[in-house]
């Protein structure tokens, strides 16, 4: 089951539609990282609203996506984690430390807008000083 | 059987006769109870009042319920099925439990009915001891089952209501309040056990989603003590809220709790804490981009 | 629905099947949706462990009753290499596969009863239970 990846402006949006196997997840990671470079994306949103469970492999893959994307200059936000899923995750000890999260797609987009805006401001401040 | 005189001691009849005639005897019994419905029902209601049972109910109410129970009772005897009686018992319990009717009263009235009916059988068959004996053989097991069904139905209903009330109390004890758009407050008061901690988390996470909350202030001023289990649960609640995209601020950590947490080594480094609830709300408003100003500073000067 | 289900585990899609069946059975048994998620996550972890360490095995799901307590029992069985040090395998962050090391300890935290029996060369059996909470 391939996850569709949408390009919207400077962002990539991967919207998971159904339960994913480990292979599906790995494939999503590769596709996203490849496209971050190809489209020079500034932000990545992974929408997991449809996932009714997240285990250690899924969480590790999401974390890897965020870290790899950051290395390639792109900010990642995970959106749509369900309340029950979140509770099960923390009981498992999976907290997605260091990865940004937002309530839903709308919030995720707003978050990325703020982040990229901040980055631009910080950049220009540095230029001003220099 | 023929050798048994009228004055022989009552004892269970032999199985053969019993099996062949139980159905017929029950039929006879049912007919008798139908025939004497008015009189027996009144006698029963009188005995209930005299025994000071169901004191929470008026005499009319007692008579009305007595009628229903009587009819259901006869029907159970007739059909040998207890579903209707069971349903009635549950329904009756539902109505009388809120009025403070106690278990012993319900058991008491069923036993009284059993007594009233048995006495009517004695009155009717005292001439024929052998017949009486067989009638009682047919009646006793059915009557016991009926009494059992009604009493158990009552107790089960009581237990269900108690569970429901416990649940309601627990819900009440953890209100999630929205104070501003996207800002929730969860004041925790009292003792937190693992079950309450779990329920509290589930409720908060659902509220975050429904209210689209971005900041949550958890105030634990009213929590007297906290062990490592509960502390870890608090940490989990904070982490799970973050996974939904909400920031949690914990306020009102008492010096004792702070000391406990440090001593038992709970990692609170990821947790935002502010001294008191007011400070917590101010911090939350700052995060949300609100700024609270006195009116004179806002109103345009003319 | 049958009260005992056996799901062979030989590919990653079987892990998904196992946890979905587990969730369905838990729902059927009246577990809360929170607990259904927890059960599905635990099944996912131990089923993946089979795949990672033993390549193949099976997961069985069934319902139990103990007095008026109702619960779900999950047994994961394989004929793989076994675990040398069960105690350590149950420690957080201990992994011989380069994973997060949360599989077994994580699943244990999610469940009420958790038991691992394993011997080197004898395969591994993980038995875990979750009881339905009253009033939940």
């Amino acid at each position: 089951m391939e996850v569709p990846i949408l390009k919207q402006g400077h962002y990539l949006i991967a919207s998971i539609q159904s339960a994913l196997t480990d292979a599906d997840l790995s494939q999503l990671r590769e596709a996203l990282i490849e496209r971050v470079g190809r489209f020079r994306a500034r932000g990545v949103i992974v929408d997991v609203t449809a996932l009714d469970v997240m285990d250690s492999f899924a969480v590790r893959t999401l974390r890897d996506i965020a870290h790899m994307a950051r290395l390639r200059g792109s900010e990642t936000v995970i959106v749509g984690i369900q309340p029950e899923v979140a509770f099960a995750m923390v009981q498992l000890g999976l907290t997605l430390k260091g990865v940004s999260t937002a309530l839903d797609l709308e919030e995720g987009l707003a978050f990325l807008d703020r982040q990229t805006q901040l980055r631009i401001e910080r950049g220009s401040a540095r230029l001003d000083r220099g | 059987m023929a050798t048994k005189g009228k004055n022989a001691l009552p004892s269970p009849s032999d199985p053969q006769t019993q099996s062949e005639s139980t159905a017929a005897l029950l039929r006879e019994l049912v007919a008798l109870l139908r025939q004497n419905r008015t009189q027996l029902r009144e006698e029963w209601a009188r005995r209930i009042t005299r025994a000071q049972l169901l004191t929470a109910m008026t005499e009319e109410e007692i008579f009305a319920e007595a009628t229903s129970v009587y009819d259901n009772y006869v029907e159970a005897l007739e059909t040998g099925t207890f579903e209707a009686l069971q349903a009635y018992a549950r329904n009756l319990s539902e109505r009388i439990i809120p009025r403070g009717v106690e278990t012993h009263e319900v058991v008491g009235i069923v036993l009284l009915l059993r007594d009233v009916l048995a006495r009517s059988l004695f009155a009717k068959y005292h001439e024929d001891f052998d017949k009486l004996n067989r009638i009682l053989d047919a009646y006793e097991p059915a009557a016991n089952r009926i009494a059992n069904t009604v009493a158990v139905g009552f107790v089960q209903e009581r237990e269900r209501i108690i569970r429901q009330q416990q649940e309601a109390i627990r819900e009440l004890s953890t209100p999630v309040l929205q104070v501003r758009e996207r800002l929730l407050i969860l004041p925790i008061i009292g003792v937190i056990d693992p079950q309450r901690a779990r329920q509290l988390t589930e409720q908060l996470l659902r509220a975050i989603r429904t209210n689209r909350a971005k900041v949550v202030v958890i105030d634990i001023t009213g929590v007297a003590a906290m062990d490592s289990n509960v502390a870890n649960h608090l940490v989990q609640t904070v982490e799970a809220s973050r996974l939904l995209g909400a920031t949690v601020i914990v306020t009102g950590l008492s010096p004792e709790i702070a000391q406990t947490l440090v001593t038992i080594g709970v990692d609170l480094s990821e947790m935002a804490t502010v001294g008191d609830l007011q400070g917590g709300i101010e911090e939350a408003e700052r995060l949300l981009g609100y700024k609270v100003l006195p009116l004179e500073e806002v109103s345009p000067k003319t | 629905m049958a009260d005992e289900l056996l799901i062979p585990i030989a590919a990653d899609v079987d892990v998904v099947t196992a946890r979905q069946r587990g969730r369905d059975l838990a729902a059927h048994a009246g577990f809360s949706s929170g607990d259904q998620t927890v059960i599905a996550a635990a099944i996912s972890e131990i089923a993946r462990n089979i795949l990672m360490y033993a390549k193949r095995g099976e997961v069985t799901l069934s319902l139990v009753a103990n007095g008026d307590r109702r619960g779900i029992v999950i047994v994961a069985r394989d004929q793989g290499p076994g675990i040398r040090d069960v105690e350590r395998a149950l420690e957080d962050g201990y992994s011989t596969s380069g994973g997060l090391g949360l599989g077994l300890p994580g699943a244990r935290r999610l469940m009420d009863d958790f038991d691992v029996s394993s011997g080197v060369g004898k395969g591994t059996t993980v038995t875990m239970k979750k009881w339905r909470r009253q009033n939940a």
Side-chain angles (χ1 to χ4, degrees):
Chain A
M1 173 84 206
E2 200 168 316
V3 178
I5 299 173
L6 244 79
K7 181 179 175 297
Q8 185 178 332
H10 295 296
Y11 307 143
L12 294 176
I13 301 170
S15 160
I16 296 171
Q17 309 288 328
S18 62
L20 298 181
T21 65
D22 294 359
D24 295 335
L25 280 161
S26 304
Q27 196 258 338
L28 171 66
R29 183 189 59 215
E30 262 122 63
L32 268 176
I33 300 310
E34 185 265 328
R35 261 168 249 199
V36 165
R38 175 145 49 103
F39 297 116
R40 307 178 63 214
R42 290 206 199 122
V44 173
I45 296 179
V46 184
D47 187 349
V48 299
T49 309
L51 290 187
D52 63 2
V53 62
M54 270 208 256
D55 61 8
S56 58
F57 190 86
V59 169
R60 180 162 55 139
T61 310
L62 292 178
R63 208 182 54 186
D64 289 353
I65 288 172
H67 291 171
M68 289 178 187
R70 190 168 297 151
L71 289 175
R72 310 202 64 188
S74 185
E75 192 66 31
T76 301
V77 56
I78 311 295
V79 306
I81 298 177
Q82 297 298 319
E84 288 91 9
V85 175
F87 196 22
M89 282 171 71
V90 296
Q91 290 176 74
L92 258 172
L94 305 168
T95 55
L96 270 174
K97 211 172 258 185
V99 181
S100 302
T101 47
L103 190 71
D104 53 20
L105 194 55
E106 189 187 329
E107 288 295 317
L109 285 166
F111 171 83
L112 286 182
D113 284 346
R114 276 198 308 277
Q115 287 302 108
T116 41
Q117 192 57 42
L118 273 180
R119 212 153 40 165
I120 292 163
E121 279 168 12
R122 244 183 265 139
S124 54
R126 217 170 288 144
L127 284 179
D128 286 348
R129 272 203 306 273
Chain B
M1 299 299 293
T3 55
K4 270 190 187 165
K6 277 185 187 166
N7 297 325
L9 279 174
S11 68
S13 336
D14 69 78
Q16 208 179 347
T17 344
Q18 198 180 355
S19 62
E20 77 183 41
S21 57
T22 299
L25 286 167
L26 275 176
R27 262 200 305 281
E28 188 177 333
L29 183 64
V30 165
L32 184 73
L33 295 182
R34 287 245 160 83
Q35 206 183 324
N36 299 320
R37 179 168 177 261
T38 311
Q39 178 215 328
L40 290 172
R41 211 170 26 150
E42 274 163 9
E43 165 69 8
W44 185 33
R46 242 196 325 274
R47 297 263 321 257
I48 291 173
T49 316
R50 215 185 311 148
Q52 296 197 322
L53 295 171
L54 304 183
T55 44
M57 297 163 79
T58 64
E59 262 179 57
E60 291 77 36
E61 284 175 317
I62 292 177
F63 190 70
E65 294 296 356
T67 304
S68 306
V69 176
Y70 187 93
D71 291 343
N72 276 290
Y73 196 104
V74 175
E75 196 196 313
L77 278 178
E78 183 176 33
T79 59
T81 58
F82 294 81
E83 282 78 15
L85 184 70
Q86 224 160 20
Y88 175 76
R90 252 203 306 275
N91 179 281
L92 173 71
S93 309
E94 219 170 285
R95 276 181 287 125
I96 62 178
I97 287 170
R99 309 189 49 178
V101 174
E102 299 287 335
T103 311
H104 77 89
E105 296 183 273
V106 171
V107 175
I109 63 163
V110 180
L111 292 179
L112 272 183
L113 176 58
R114 204 164 160 262
D115 188 55
V116 168
L117 298 187
R119 276 171 201 274
S120 78
L121 296 179
F122 277 110
K124 162 103 179 161
Y125 296 109
H126 71 278
E127 296 290 321
D128 184 351
F129 224 82
D130 192 49
K131 180 73 177 281
L132 174 65
N133 210 14
R134 280 183 290 130
I135 283 264
L136 284 177
D137 278 345
Y139 171 68
E140 285 291 324
N144 284 342
R145 238 188 112 182
I146 291 170
N148 204 30
T149 303
V150 173
V152 168
F154 183 84
V155 170
Q156 277 174 347
E157 183 59 26
R158 248 176 100 107
E159 282 171 354
R160 197 185 64 79
I161 287 174
I162 291 169
R163 271 203 300 275
Q164 221 171 35
Q165 287 170 342
Q166 280 175 339
E167 186 72 8
I169 289 169
R170 238 179 259 129
E171 294 262 332
L172 278 177
S173 62
T174 52
V176 184
L177 312 165
Q178 175 161 349
V179 286
R180 270 184 210 294
E181 213 174 304
R182 325 215 66 180
L183 169 56
L184 297 178
I185 293 190
L186 175 63
I188 307 177
I189 294 164
V191 182
I192 309 181
D193 56 28
Q195 194 184 351
R196 185 168 170 218
R198 173 188 304 272
Q199 191 178 22
L200 195 140
T201 309
E202 284 175 354
Q203 240 175 297
L204 176 65
L205 294 178
R206 272 199 298 273
I208 288 175
R209 188 138 194 100
T210 346
N211 297 296
R212 302 179 54 80
K214 279 192 81 91
V215 184
V216 178
V217 178
I218 301 182
D219 181 62
I220 58 170
T221 311
V223 176
M226 191 179 272
D227 62 11
S228 61
N229 270 334
V230 174
N232 282 324
H233 215 95
L234 187 64
V235 173
Q236 284 186 353
T237 308
V238 173
E239 284 169 345
S241 304
R242 191 193 78 84
L243 289 175
L244 265 60
T247 307
V248 176
I249 299 168
V250 178
T251 64
L253 271 161
S254 68
E256 293 79 25
I257 291 182
Q259 206 161 0
T260 318
L261 295 185
V262 172
T263 315
I264 57 184
V266 177
D267 180 14
L268 299 178
S269 55
E270 299 285 311
M271 205 149 84
T273 52
V274 174
D276 58 12
L277 181 57
Q278 185 187 343
I281 294 176
E282 283 164 7
E283 172 68 8
E285 285 168 337
R286 199 186 57 75
L287 287 175
L288 287 166
Y290 289 111
K291 198 171 174 192
V292 179
L293 295 173
L295 269 175
E296 56 265 30
E297 283 179 41
V298 188
S299 51
K301 298 212 173 75
T302 44
Chain C
M1 191 181 292
D3 278 353
E4 171 146 347
L5 287 168
L6 188 149
I7 300 112
I9 304 291
D12 64 356
V13 38
D14 300 329
V15 176
V16 176
T17 307
R19 71 174 179 234
Q20 281 173 345
R21 290 281 154 74
R23 175 188 282 276
D24 292 347
L25 188 63
H28 170 72
F31 279 92
S32 70
S33 69
D35 276 347
Q36 291 169 32
T37 307
V38 156
I39 289 163
I43 294 173
S44 203
E45 297 298 339
I46 58 160
R48 175 172 302 100
N49 269 359
I50 293 180
L51 213 54
M52 271 190 317
Y53 297 103
K55 303 282 182 273
R56 60 179 59 251
E58 64 189 36
V59 169
T60 55
L61 309 167
S62 55
L63 298 178
V64 275
N66 181 356
D68 40 334
R69 286 206 303 174
R70 315 245 155 257
I72 187 167
V73 187
I74 298 134
V75 182
R77 214 176 271 115
D78 68 58
Q79 310 293 323
I83 302 171
R84 191 191 309 271
D85 189 342
V86 173
E87 288 294 308
R88 277 199 78 187
L90 284 169
E91 282 171 22
D92 270 336
Y94 178 76
S95 172
T96 57
S97 68
L100 285 177
L102 278 172
L104 283 184
R108 177 161 75 163
R109 265 201 299 278
L110 293 177
M111 303 300 278
D112 294 325
D113 301 336
F114 195 88
D115 178 68
V116 181
S117 79
S118 184
V120 173
K122 292 197 187 87
T124 302
T125 300
V126 177
T127 307
M128 49 191 200
K129 286 190 196 117
K130 184 101 185 157
W131 298 104
R132 212 176 78 195
R133 287 193 306 276
Q134 298 275 336
N135 325 327

